[in-house]
Amino acid sequence: MMEEEELEFVEELEAVLQLTPDVQLAIEQVFPSQDPLDRADFNAVEYINTLFPTEQSLANIDEVVNKIRLKIRRLDDNIRTVVRGQTNVGQDGRQVKEITRDIKQLDHAKRHLTTSITTLNHLHMLAGGVDSLEAMTRRRQYGEVANLLQGVMNVLEHFHKYMGIPQIRQLSERVKAAQTELGQQILADFEEAFPSQGTKRPGGPSNVLRDACQVANILDPRIKQEIIKKFIKQHLSEYLVLFQENQDVAWLDKIDRRYAWVKRQLVDYEEKYGRMFPREWYMAERIAVEFCHITRTELAKIMRTRAKEIEVKLLLFAIQRTTNFEGFLAKRFSGCTLTDGTLKKLESPPASTNPFLEDEPAAEMEELALEKGDLEQPKKPKAPDNPFHGIVSKCFEPHLYVYIESQDKNLGELIDRFVADFKAQGPPKPNTDEGGAVLPSCADLFVYYKKCMVQCSQLSTGEPMIALTTIFQKYLREYAWKILSGNLPKTTSSSGGLTISSLLKEKEGSEAAKFTLEELGLICSILSTAEYCLATTQQLEEKLKEKVDVSLIERINLTGEMDTFSTVISSSIQLLVQDLDAACDPALTAMSKMQWQNVEHVGDQSPYVTSVILHIKQNVPIIRDNLASTRKYFTQFCIKFANSFIPKFITHLFKCKPISMVGAEQVRSW
């Protein structure tokens, strides 16, 4: 019975103290023990048997039981101490929390106290600063005022949320009043130093005005703007008197004097007033910009009045000098004042109006090479845009019709000179190495076109460029008609203009009408020139589209002119084909009229074959050599001749009468 109860006790104990192997291993590592009671596989029966191995050992059972009970009491004491310790932890935590709360209250009190002290210090500084500011303002101690005013304004920002307090509001109003008084006083000082009427005060600027500018930087921006406006107006007052509309120096032929005057004024400003105004005011640039606005207005006014006196040379001279001056401004100034609105400006063009600003005047007039693609120049690295471009020169744009009309006249005279030179000098000599010579007049024409295009693009990229394009189209067509088509060779009996049909009628049935070697060379030269003009006209169109305003690109179209040159090329090829074709006609006629029924013997080569070969050997090598630089058109000539000659040969072949039976047998055996 005793053993059963012990077994039940052991099973219940194991069920309660059953731990996972990982937990048990961790406990053994943290609390190593040799006591059997601490083992995970503790067995109570084995433990009792160990304590009482024999019946004689039961004699001291009371002693063993007492030891176990003592151990149990110690364990209970330990457990009780631990439990009570956990209870005390909660109490200690509450005590700590109360201490922390007290510390936080002290921190808040300290922070509030610090803020109060700082605010009182700021208030003291503000009150003292306002008193000092008012006193310094009356004494015009602008150097001290500049530093003090900035500090007072910074301190006043700390009291923005306290403006409901009467004393704070009163101090704020005193600061505003001091600022207003400073602004009025500084403007009065500048008016006295630089009066609107009369001459400038002799000598350089005083330190008082220099310090006043530093104060103006802190005050309302309108004070700074007013100072700038008054100074520049006074500085340029002499210019308006010297270059009045009724003065001789005001006209375009003396425009250099305007720019020389302002350059002297800029030097004078740097020497006398350069240190008076802060660098960030960019006063020298502002003087130059306002001069440009005044100059543009005055020039536009005088040109409207004396429009009939404007000649193209005078106009181009004035524009060149003006664009040079604008380039000078771009090198010296950044253009940062052009858009800040400080001064009232007239409407100015966008900075990117001119796509040729990177070109120097000398480079603008460089001649084109005579090779193909002379307008296809290597692209230069794009230079920074000139922000001053057009700031004065925009006034010349309404008068560019004078330039366009002049170019129309010059190009008309140029075409007439080309016609006269061709009649006097004849066609160019062919180059046996490079093929047919291109007429030099076409290169001269495109050289002049480039000059005009570059000039006009610097003057305007708007409607004047479209007008110039129309002029270009007009004289491209005239060149094709008068120089190219008009100089294609004709027969001596031809009294009117050349047409393919009239030429062929005169050549029919007559070998004497065949083109000479010089005439063949001329046709090839005109063909090569037309091909050159076609390619260069296409490049010209692309260049014009690059230069003109984006909104006007669609109005640049030289397709009609390119078609005109294509027509010249086709006509030249057709002339060469018809000439050789007509030269072969007598031989084909002889072949069809030959009495083939009387032929009894087959020879080596018939006379008509010899004649055809002779004509081909005479013409084709000459044409090939003269079209060496345009091989595709020589190929077209060959194809067109073959397409014309072969059907004609077959037609004449069918006209031949049957040959004799003897001849036929000889042909088979041969």
Side-chain angles (χ1 to χ4, degrees):
M1 186 67 177
M2 183 63 180
E3 293 180 356
E4 292 178 359
E5 292 178 354
E6 289 178 353
L7 289 173
E8 290 176 0
F9 173 76
V10 170
E11 291 175 356
E12 292 176 359
L13 184 63
E14 290 179 350
V16 173
L17 299 178
Q18 188 69 30
L19 300 174
T20 63
D22 294 338
V23 175
Q24 187 64 42
L25 179 61
I27 292 174
E28 291 177 356
Q29 292 176 351
V30 176
F31 303 105
S33 175
Q34 300 298 327
D35 192 340
L37 294 175
D38 294 332
R39 294 178 59 83
D41 56 351
F42 174 75
N43 190 311
V45 175
E46 291 181 359
Y47 182 69
I48 293 173
N49 289 333
T50 302
L51 294 177
F52 306 104
T54 61
E55 293 182 1
Q56 290 77 10
S57 61
L58 292 175
N60 58 351
I61 188 172
D62 293 334
E63 182 181 355
V64 173
V65 170
N66 290 333
K67 289 181 179 179
I68 292 175
R69 286 177 178 173
L70 179 61
K71 191 171 185 179
I72 291 172
R73 282 196 297 271
R74 289 177 179 173
L75 289 173
D76 289 340
D77 292 339
N78 291 336
I79 293 171
R80 189 180 299 108
T81 301
V82 172
V83 171
R84 289 176 180 175
Q86 293 298 319
T87 303
N88 293 335
V89 167
Q91 295 176 351
D92 294 342
R94 285 192 294 273
Q95 293 177 356
V96 171
K97 186 175 182 181
E98 292 175 357
I99 295 172
T100 303
R101 184 175 62 250
D102 295 339
I103 293 173
K104 288 182 179 179
Q105 290 177 350
L106 292 174
D107 286 341
H108 287 306
K110 178 183 177 181
R111 189 179 302 112
H112 292 160
L113 181 60
T114 302
T115 303
S116 299
I117 294 173
T118 303
T119 303
L120 289 174
N121 287 335
H122 285 164
L123 182 59
H124 176 72
M125 293 168 58
L126 180 60
V130 172
D131 293 337
S132 300
L133 180 62
E134 292 173 341
M136 291 176 182
T137 300
R138 289 190 295 270
R139 293 192 297 268
R140 283 180 166 77
Q141 295 176 328
Y142 295 132
E144 292 80 357
V145 167
N147 296 325
L148 179 59
L149 178 60
Q150 187 63 59
V152 168
M153 293 176 64
N154 292 338
V155 172
L156 189 59
E157 290 180 0
H158 294 284
F159 292 94
H160 181 70
K161 56 184 177 181
Y162 303 118
M163 287 300 169
I165 301 174
Q167 292 81 358
I168 302 298
R169 185 169 59 252
Q170 183 181 6
L171 288 173
S172 176
E173 291 173 354
R174 288 176 62 189
V175 171
K176 292 180 180 178
Q179 289 178 307
T180 302
E181 183 180 355
L182 273 170
Q184 294 174 351
Q185 187 170 292
I186 290 173
L187 290 177
D189 291 343
F190 270 93
E191 178 65 26
E192 180 183 356
F194 306 101
S196 300
Q197 303 295 332
T199 59
K200 292 177 285 188
R201 185 178 63 180
S206 67
N207 292 334
V208 174
L209 295 182
R210 182 182 60 193
D211 295 337
C213 291
Q214 297 297 334
V215 177
N217 261 341
I218 307 172
L219 297 175
D220 190 321
R222 288 177 294 184
I223 302 298
K224 167 186 169 182
Q225 294 172 9
E226 189 66 21
I227 292 173
I228 293 174
K229 183 182 298 185
K230 283 180 176 295
F231 179 82
I232 293 178
K233 181 179 180 181
Q234 197 278 339
H235 209 71
L236 296 177
S237 58
E238 180 185 353
Y239 174 67
L240 292 172
V241 175
L242 292 176
F243 294 89
Q244 289 184 31
E245 186 176 350
N246 58 357
Q247 298 295 321
D248 183 58
V249 293
W251 189 228
L252 300 182
D253 59 342
K254 296 180 177 60
I255 198 170
D256 278 339
R257 297 190 183 184
R258 294 177 180 266
Y259 305 132
W261 182 90
V262 76
K263 289 177 182 179
R264 290 194 302 270
Q265 291 300 310
L266 292 175
V267 173
D268 178 71
Y269 165 80
E270 293 294 346
E271 292 177 352
K272 295 182 179 180
Y273 309 104
R275 296 183 180 180
M276 184 174 76
F277 295 101
R279 294 181 62 85
E280 63 270 18
W281 286 21
Y282 302 102
M283 286 299 294
E285 179 177 321
R286 294 182 190 278
I287 292 171
V289 169
E290 185 64 12
F291 165 83
C292 291
H293 295 321
I294 294 173
T295 301
R296 183 172 63 182
T297 303
E298 294 299 314
L299 287 176
K301 186 190 305 181
I302 194 172
M303 283 192 291
R304 284 195 301 269
T305 304
R306 304 172 61 177
K308 295 181 179 180
E309 300 178 38
I310 300 177
E311 298 177 352
V312 65
K313 290 183 179 180
L314 179 61
L315 180 65
L316 292 180
F317 167 79
I319 293 175
Q320 182 184 12
R321 294 297 190 269
T322 301
T323 53
N324 289 346
F325 174 69
E326 292 171 349
F328 161 78
L329 295 180
K331 292 178 181 178
R332 181 164 181 179
F333 304 118
S334 64
C336 61
T337 66
L338 292 174
T339 57
D340 65 356
T342 299
L343 297 175
K344 183 179 180 181
K345 302 179 179 66
L346 298 174
E347 181 185 2
S348 57
S352 58
T353 298
N354 183 9
F356 278 103
L357 290 173
E358 65 270 20
D359 293 336
E360 295 295 332
E364 295 166 4
M365 298 301 166
E366 65 180 355
E367 293 189 353
L368 298 172
L370 295 182
E371 298 82 19
K372 291 184 180 180
D374 52 359
L375 288 174
E376 192 66 30
Q377 300 293 327
K379 293 185 178 180
K380 301 178 182 178
K382 186 177 181 181
D385 289 336
N386 178 356
F388 296 94
H389 175 72
I391 192 170
V392 178
S393 58
K394 189 73 173 177
C395 67
F396 297 111
E397 187 165 329
H399 304 276
L400 289 181
Y401 68 89
V402 176
Y403 172 78
I404 301 300
E405 291 174 355
S406 172
Q407 298 309 321
D408 188 3
K409 178 181 178 182
N410 292 341
L411 283 169
E413 293 175 353
L414 188 64
I415 294 296
D416 292 341
R417 180 167 63 83
F418 290 161
V419 173
D421 289 347
F422 191 91
K423 291 180 179 179
Q425 302 172 8
K429 301 299 181 181
N431 189 324
T432 56
D433 296 329
E434 299 180 1
V438 175
L439 299 180
S441 57
C442 71
D444 295 338
L445 178 66
F446 284 107
V447 164
Y448 195 86
Y449 271 21
K450 183 183 179 182
K451 292 178 182 179
C452 296
M453 180 177 64
V454 173
Q455 277 185 336
C456 190
S457 66
Q458 287 208 335
L459 306 179
S460 171
T461 56
E463 288 295 334
M465 281 290 288
I466 300 299
L468 184 66
T469 301
T470 302
I471 299 299
F472 284 174
Q473 291 174 300
K474 172 183 176 180
Y475 289 102
L476 284 174
R477 293 191 297 268
E478 286 204 13
Y479 186 85
W481 296 333
K482 294 183 178 181
I483 308 300
L484 301 183
S485 295
N487 284 307
L488 285 172
K490 328 173 182 44
T491 60
T492 55
S493 62
S494 180
S495 58
L498 173 69
T499 62
I500 298 297
S501 58
S502 63
L503 179 67
L504 296 179
K505 287 179 181 179
E506 294 184 12
K507 288 182 172 295
E508 259 183 29
S510 173
E511 290 196 19
K514 187 174 182 293
F515 287 141
T516 64
L517 297 182
E518 290 75 11
E519 289 174 328
L520 289 176
L522 174 59
I523 295 173
C524 292
S525 180
I526 291 175
L527 189 155
S528 299
T529 303
E531 192 269 341
Y532 169 85
C533 292
L534 173 63
T536 311
T537 300
Q538 182 177 1
Q539 296 163 13
L540 174 64
E541 180 185 73
E542 295 171 358
K543 288 294 181 181
L544 287 169
K545 288 182 176 180
E546 290 178 10
K547 276 48 176 185
V548 78
D549 290 342
V550 176
S551 60
L552 302 176
I553 288 179
E554 296 299 325
R555 295 172 61 182
I556 303 292
N557 188 347
L558 303 184
T559 303
E561 289 64 43
M562 288 186 275
D563 290 343
T564 300
F565 289 116
S566 296
T567 301
V568 175
I569 293 172
S570 299
S571 299
S572 300
I573 294 175
Q574 192 66 17
L575 275 179
L576 296 174
V577 170
Q578 295 291 358
D579 177 66
L580 181 57
D581 196 41
C584 296
D585 279 347
L588 297 180
T589 302
M591 177 188 73
S592 62
K593 292 181 178 181
M594 186 174 179
Q595 301 297 322
W596 290 98
Q597 67 273 18
N598 298 329
V599 175
E600 296 181 356
H601 301 284
V602 178
D604 182 29
Q605 183 171 281
S606 301
Y608 68 88
V609 175
T610 302
S611 177
V612 169
I613 292 175
L614 177 63
H615 288 302
I616 292 176
K617 286 184 176 181
Q618 285 178 345
N619 283 30
V620 172
I622 295 173
I623 297 172
R624 178 196 62 205
D625 294 341
N626 280 277
L627 296 181
S629 59
T630 55
R631 300 300 296 176
K632 63 179 180 179
Y633 294 119
F634 173 70
T635 302
Q636 287 187 23
F637 159 75
C638 294
I639 293 173
K640 287 188 176 183
F641 174 71
N643 291 338
S644 174
F645 178 77
I646 292 176
K648 185 181 294 187
F649 175 79
I650 294 174
T651 299
H652 282 78
L653 187 62
F654 279 111
K655 292 180 181 180
C656 294
K657 296 179 180 180
I659 62 176
S660 65
M661 294 301 297
V662 176
E665 289 297 331
Q666 289 183 1
V667 170
R668 288 196 196 96
S669 62
W670 185 70

